[in-house]
Amino acid sequence: MKKFDKDRLILGLAGPALALVVAFLLTSVVLLLSDLSPVEPYRLMVEQIEFTDVQVLIINQTGIYYLAALAVAIGFRMNLFNIGVDGQYRLAVMLAAVVGAAVELPGPLHILLIVFVAMAVGAFWAGIAGVLKTTRGVSEVVSTIMLNAIATSLIAWMILPANLGVRPEGSNDLTTGEIAESGWFPGLALDGGTIYGFTFVAFALGIVYWFVLGRTRFGFDLRATGASESAAQASGVDAKKMVLTAMLISGAMAGLAGMPMLLGQTHTYSLSFPVGVGFTAIGIALLGRNNPIGILFASLLFAFLDKTAEGIGLEGYPKELALIMQGLIVIAVVVSYELVRQYGLRRQQQKVGEELAAQARKNKEVAAA
């Protein structure tokens, strides 16, 4: 049993390790073809970790990516591809910012209200795809992609000054108005900046994710339904209910992805609020193999690439190098996992054959005796 667990651990680490090696090698090839040093950009990236302000930026971005990737992973564990995390996250943070700026409550209540609105909006937007899938059989991939586009247009309309938006005096930007200080989530102040307080909530939710999916009946039903919907239904699990529930939870988690920045830095939603977080989270969830610890390290890696890209740009290297690396990681991780999976199957078949041969020899010896 211990041997099996050891082999499974090695195979589990082999996939992401192989993907990272391949991605870095391919990125080096791109640099060589561009007549640039294939090593210098990596050195410059690593050197930036020494600066406290860069460390703070990386940690804060890690928390944002972690929440979004957990939202994607919840869907993946149900064999659902929630491609709409980005739309759910942006729509949720915008409406949460509108409500947060419109009211003023005692600190904890104000923060809880904003968080509740974000989760409710994210769950509602993802729930549309869940209802379409369970009642009409519409693929969640198609519906969530279309809902992303609808969310983008809806946000653009709602943020107009004639609707819910505010145009600051002397600026061309559009915002939802500033949230009162009672709705700010306190952070950890360091020499190089402030770590968002909600970042620690994000990491705590990773523990909740691990416990619920791995140590509860609900988590078992969810994973069982994802593995085989018909088998789960035969054992008494309402498969359609689990699909809808998974989409609602995934959307609620996506809604939280904007909370670290909203409550810890901007205190408003504007046209400059980050986009594309949900799409990056798909690659992070794949690299982390839907495991909370794996997702944490994958989020840290992607945040590191994001926040050190500016530094290499100042040295004459294209800052888009980080995007190239992230894209190559996503491509490589799919291929490497399939290779590792096939190797694992062959290895398992070989072990079973060896055990059967050993048992046959033992039976012969017993019979001869």
Side-chain angles (χ1 to χ4, degrees):
M1 190 66 181
K2 290 182 179 179
K3 178 68 174 175
F4 172 76
D5 289 340
K6 181 180 178 181
D7 289 348
R8 186 170 60 179
L9 177 62
I10 292 174
L11 289 174
L13 295 176
L18 179 61
L20 292 177
V21 171
V22 171
F24 278 97
L25 288 176
L26 290 177
T27 304
S28 298
V29 171
V30 172
L31 288 169
L32 283 172
L33 293 175
S34 303
D35 292 329
L36 297 172
S37 170
V39 178
E40 185 71 8
Y42 304 135
R43 185 186 66 80
L44 294 172
M45 285 180 169
V46 173
E47 284 182 352
Q48 294 181 61
I49 301 179
E50 299 176 0
F51 302 105
T52 309
D53 57 337
V54 176
Q55 295 172 9
V56 170
L57 290 172
I58 291 174
I59 293 173
N60 285 336
Q61 190 64 41
T62 298
I64 295 171
Y65 280 158
Y66 192 56
L67 287 168
L70 286 179
V72 174
I74 291 170
F76 281 169
R77 295 302 292 267
M78 263 290 295
N79 203 23
L80 295 171
F81 294 88
N82 183 7
I83 311 298
V85 167
D86 199 67
Q88 295 151 23
Y89 138 79
R90 288 185 291 115
L91 188 62
V93 71
M94 190 229 169
L95 291 178
V98 169
V99 173
V103 301
E104 188 169 349
L105 299 169
L109 292 178
H110 199 169
I111 294 172
L112 286 174
L113 175 63
I114 295 171
V115 171
F116 173 78
V117 171
M119 293 180 66
V121 173
F124 170 76
W125 206 246
I128 297 174
V131 170
L132 289 173
K133 183 174 181 64
T134 54
T135 60
R136 293 291 183 267
V138 179
S139 169
E140 74 280 1
V141 176
V142 175
S143 59
T144 51
I145 288 176
M146 295 183 70
L147 284 168
N148 275 339
I150 296 172
T152 299
S153 300
L154 191 58
I155 290 170
W157 176 77
M158 288 192 298
I159 205 170
L160 293 174
N163 299 313
L164 301 175
V166 176
R167 189 188 301 275
E169 187 175 351
S171 172
N172 291 325
D173 198 9
L174 295 175
T175 75
T176 54
E178 186 171 358
I179 298 172
E181 193 169 349
S182 58
W184 299 5
F185 200 107
L188 177 62
L190 300 174
D191 292 338
T194 301
I195 298 177
Y196 304 147
F198 210 86
T199 298
F200 301 102
V201 176
F203 298 150
L205 287 174
I207 299 176
V208 175
Y209 168 89
W210 164 81
F211 179 79
V212 172
L213 265 69
R215 295 293 184 273
T216 66
R217 172 61 186 272
F218 170 79
F220 175 79
D221 290 346
L222 188 146
R223 289 182 287 112
T225 306
S228 175
E229 187 173 317
S230 58
Q233 196 150 359
S235 65
V237 178
D238 189 338
K240 289 187 176 181
K241 180 180 178 181
M242 292 304 298
V243 168
L244 180 58
T245 302
M247 288 299 295
L248 290 173
I249 296 175
S250 178
M253 186 68 74
L256 293 177
M259 294 300 98
M261 180 171 285
L262 176 67
L263 300 178
Q265 179 183 343
T266 63
H267 311 302
T268 186
Y269 180 88
S270 68
L271 297 178
S272 59
F273 212 85
V275 298
V277 171
F279 298 111
T280 303
I282 296 173
I284 293 172
L286 287 172
L287 181 61
R289 305 204 70 170
N290 303 323
N291 180 282
I293 297 178
I295 292 174
L296 177 60
F297 283 109
S299 299
L300 187 62
L301 172 63
F302 274 62
F304 164 77
L305 293 175
D306 277 350
K307 299 307 176 184
T308 56
E310 293 293 336
I312 65 173
L314 296 176
E315 297 294 331
Y317 290 92
K319 61 182 181 180
E320 290 77 13
L321 182 64
L323 294 176
I324 294 174
M325 293 176 67
Q326 290 175 0
L328 289 174
I329 287 173
V330 174
I331 296 173
V333 78
V334 175
V335 177
S336 65
Y337 283 173
E338 180 60 23
L339 292 175
V340 169
R341 187 186 70 83
Q342 292 179 2
Y343 172 80
L345 289 175
R346 290 196 299 269
R347 176 63 178 162
Q348 188 176 16
Q349 292 169 355
Q350 180 183 357
K351 288 177 63 178
V352 171
E354 292 173 353
E355 291 173 0
L356 290 174
Q359 185 63 38
R361 287 194 301 269
K362 184 176 180 180
N363 292 339
K364 281 186 179 182
E365 292 173 357
V366 171

